[in-house]
Structures are given as C-alpha cells and as structure tokens.
Amino acid sequence: MSKEHRRRIITLLEFGAAVAVGVAIGLKLAPYDLPFFVQAACVLGTANSAMSTLKAIEDAWTTTTHRCTAPGCDFRVRLQHTDAGENRVWREAAANHPSHTASRSA
C-alpha cells in the first residue's frame, strides 16, 4: 500500500468519524423539536470541529520538527511524510541554516 493510498484511507476514516459525531448530536437534538436550521447548524458545527480536531491530531502525529541546536536560535523546519534521506537533509539544513551561519561568522 502506497503512502498516498494510506493517507486517503486515513482522511476517509476521519471524515466518517466526523459524520458519525454529527449524526450522534443530531439524534440527541431530535427530541427537542428544534427548527431545522438550528439543528443543522449544531450538527455541521460539531462535525466540523471533530474533523478539525482529527486533522490536527494527524498532523501532529505525522510531522517531524528539526530545530537549530544553537542556544537562543529559534529556527525550525517542520516536515510531513518524508523518508529517512530527506529527513536527514533537513536536519542538517536546520543545524546550518543561513542566518545561523551568518551570525556565527560575525
């Protein structure tokens, strides 16, 4: 299974979970005889929040951050879905970024 195929499956699962949360809220609100647009706003807002939360969790899980090791330097590189070779290149780039090397030579 390719990485792209796996990411599509994860996105579909996230969407399914968000829809399930929205439906659950809709079913809980149904007995209260709310106007359609009020109930739709609650369902869509809850589903959107669930989807955003799940995407943030996925991003945090699949993101690698490389920081400059120099004291006081806040340079960093954030990567997603990279292989080991590309990860190594960016780790070295974070350690020797241009503003870091310029301040080192001054």
Side-chain angles (χ1 to χ4, degrees), residues 16-102:
V19 168
V21 168
V23 168
I25 291 297
L27 291 174
K28 285 186 176 187
L29 292 176
Y32 295 104
D33 197 30
L34 295 171
F36 171 77
F37 290 110
V38 171
Q39 189 167 352
C42 292
V43 168
L44 292 174
T46 304
N48 188 27
S49 292
M51 186 70 179
S52 296
T53 302
L54 291 171
K55 286 305 260 180
I57 291 169
E58 179 198 1
D59 288 347
W61 191 13
T62 61
T63 300
T64 302
T65 302
H66 297 295
R67 292 178 174 85
C68 179
T69 56
C73 185
D74 60 353
F75 182 84
R76 66 180 177 203
V77 177
R78 293 184 56 174
L79 307 169
Q80 284 188 303
H81 311 293
T82 56
D83 59 5
E86 190 175 357
N87 211 1
R88 181 180 48 80
V89 167
W90 283 104
R91 182 177 41 232
E92 292 170 0
N96 295 317
H97 58 89
S99 61
H100 182 248
T101 55

